[in-house]
Amino acid sequence: MELRAKILVVGGGAIGGLVAWRLSINHNLSVSVVCRSNYDAISRHGYRISSALYGEGTYIPESVFASVEQAQSAGPYDYVVVALKALPNIYDCPSLIAPVISANTMIVLMQNGIGIEASFAERFPEAPLASTACFVSVKQTSPGHLKHGAFAMLAAGMHDGFRTRPNIRKLQQLLRILEHNQVNCLYEHDVQPYRWQKHILNGSTNPVSVVCGGSSCQEMVRNDHCCKLLQELMAEIFVLGKAVTGKAFPGVDGIVDPQSATDYIKSIPVPVYTSMLVDSQCKRPMELEVILKNPILLAEKHNVDVPNMKAMYALLSMIEAGYSK
């Protein structure tokens, strides 16, 4: 039976906009988007998308809301996709989405970082919670304008305590729709190794790019000293991730160790600038808690030494404090 569902995407930036677009191709789905800084552009003109995989496209969401409170009146929702930046030190994301969550709403997290699920599970013990690692090269070049590369893969699974057959089936139905619409999707019983896999690049290139003062990822790996620092950070992530999950990393993009990770960066033909670098240049809060602090806390719990990670957190905390005054 084909899924008929009402979906709300909270966070209409790059990932949220792209996922909403691919879901909306299925006409049995009602897909709405909550936008924040780009609300005016999306509500007036929708999205303009340039994709190496999907081609050129325009996407006008069924409904665009300026807040979750506005979206509440159009509910209830079968799925709420959370694609906001993970900034627990700035705002409480579970409280933000609370108006649209019921016991029948599946929460699907599409955020960066490590340890992001616990606050949602605590706030909504009855609502099924899924976590997703997004391997998607997409950025919002200006409000409502998305530039996407040639790759889109999501690895998703139910969070601990929510792995019942009905919940798994409901998540798999959503993934099948995305798969049908050319998004490569994997259902994983335990998605955390995929989160750590993504963190190999996220947890290294993001902080180092800020300290380097604006370098692209390719420029960083071409510098011997910087490349060595990146590889040392990556090595810490490999060791810590295996200690936390008890499992090997899945090896997405052929990344199985620090050397293959920096080789992968070198192979990317166009300059890549990290989201954390862009946030720092725009004097916006950086995702320091979920990219650095949470892994450091896990390292202390599992007795793993992460000196480079701690140094990055100390430096970036000072940088952010400096421009936030």
Side-chain angles (χ1 to χ4, degrees), residues 7 18 32 77 81 115 119 136 144 201 228 241 246 271 291 310-311 319:
I7 301 172
L18 190 76
S32 300
Y77 297 97
V81 176
S119 61
V136 184
L201 298 184
K228 185 174 185 294
I291 298 294
K310 289 179 177 179
I319 291 171

Side-chain angles (χ1 to χ4, degrees), residues 43-55:
S43 60
R44 292 178 183 177
H45 309 295
Y47 290 92
R48 306 291 187 272
I49 303 163
S50 176
S51 170
L53 179 61
Y54 307 123

Side-chain angles (χ1 to χ4, degrees), residues 42-305:
I42 305 303
S43 60
R44 292 178 183 177
H45 309 295
Y47 290 92
R48 306 291 187 272
I49 303 163
S50 176
S51 170
L53 179 61
Y54 307 123
E56 303 294 316
T58 299
Y59 166 48
I60 309 295
E62 182 173 322
S63 298
V64 181
F65 302 104
S67 68
V68 173
E69 287 75 16
Q70 282 187 8
Q72 183 179 9
S73 61
Y77 297 97
D78 300 287
Y79 300 86
V80 169
V81 176
V82 181
L84 295 166
K85 277 191 174 293
L87 298 167
N89 55 319
I90 304 298
Y91 53 77
D92 180 49
C93 200
S95 295
L96 193 151
I97 67 169
V100 291
I101 304 300
S102 70
N104 296 320
T105 306
M106 176 167 285
I107 303 168
V108 183
L109 301 182
M110 293 191 181
Q111 297 175 295
N112 284 332
I114 299 298
I116 66 169
E117 299 89 357
S119 61
F120 292 89
E122 182 178 349
R123 178 65 186 268
F124 308 111
E126 302 301 322
L129 176 64
S131 185
T132 308
C134 303
F135 298 86
V136 184
S137 175
V138 61
K139 62 182 178 180
Q140 186 171 213
T141 56
S142 62
H145 291 254
L146 305 185
K147 186 173 183 180
H148 173 240
F151 189 68
M153 189 191 91
L154 306 179
M158 299 307 302
H159 187 55
D160 294 345
F162 298 94
R163 296 187 184 114
T164 65
R165 285 186 179 179
N167 288 345
I168 291 171
R169 186 162 54 247
K170 186 171 181 176
L171 176 58
Q172 288 175 329
Q173 286 178 314
L174 188 71
L175 296 179
R176 278 195 292 270
I177 289 171
L178 286 166
E179 183 81 39
H180 182 73
N181 295 331
Q182 295 181 274
V183 179
N184 185 18
C185 293
L186 301 174
Y187 173 80
E188 292 292 327
H189 182 74
D190 181 5
V191 77
Q192 292 306 314
Y194 281 86
R195 277 203 164 274
W196 282 97
Q197 175 80 46
K198 184 176 181 183
H199 201 66
I200 296 163
L201 298 184
N202 264 2
S204 56
T205 60
N206 267 295
V208 174
S209 67
V210 177
V211 175
C212 285
S215 299
S216 70
C217 293
Q218 290 90 335
E219 288 171 328
M220 291 190 292
V221 296
R222 285 198 295 266
N223 179 284
D224 290 343
H225 301 291
C226 191
C227 187
K228 185 174 185 294
L229 173 59
L230 285 169
Q231 290 182 343
E232 288 175 353
L233 268 166
M234 292 170 180
E236 291 177 1
I237 293 167
F238 271 107
V239 172
L240 179 57
K242 289 176 182 177
V244 172
T245 66
K247 298 177 181 178
F249 287 35
V252 177
D253 293 323
I255 296 174
V256 295
D257 56 25
Q259 183 63 55
S260 58
T262 52
D263 287 345
Y264 171 78
I265 293 171
K266 290 176 183 176
S267 73
I268 301 173
V270 295
V272 176
Y273 296 91
T274 70
S275 59
M276 193 173 277
L277 172 62
V278 174
D279 286 338
S280 69
Q281 290 173 333
C282 296
K283 302 190 185 311
R284 296 191 297 249
M286 296 180 283
E287 293 180 303
L288 300 182
E289 304 296 302
V290 299
I291 298 294
L292 291 168
K293 185 178 180 180
N294 286 356
I296 289 169
L297 293 175
L298 286 170
E300 293 172 354
K301 179 179 178 181
H302 290 270
N303 198 29
V304 175
D305 195 23

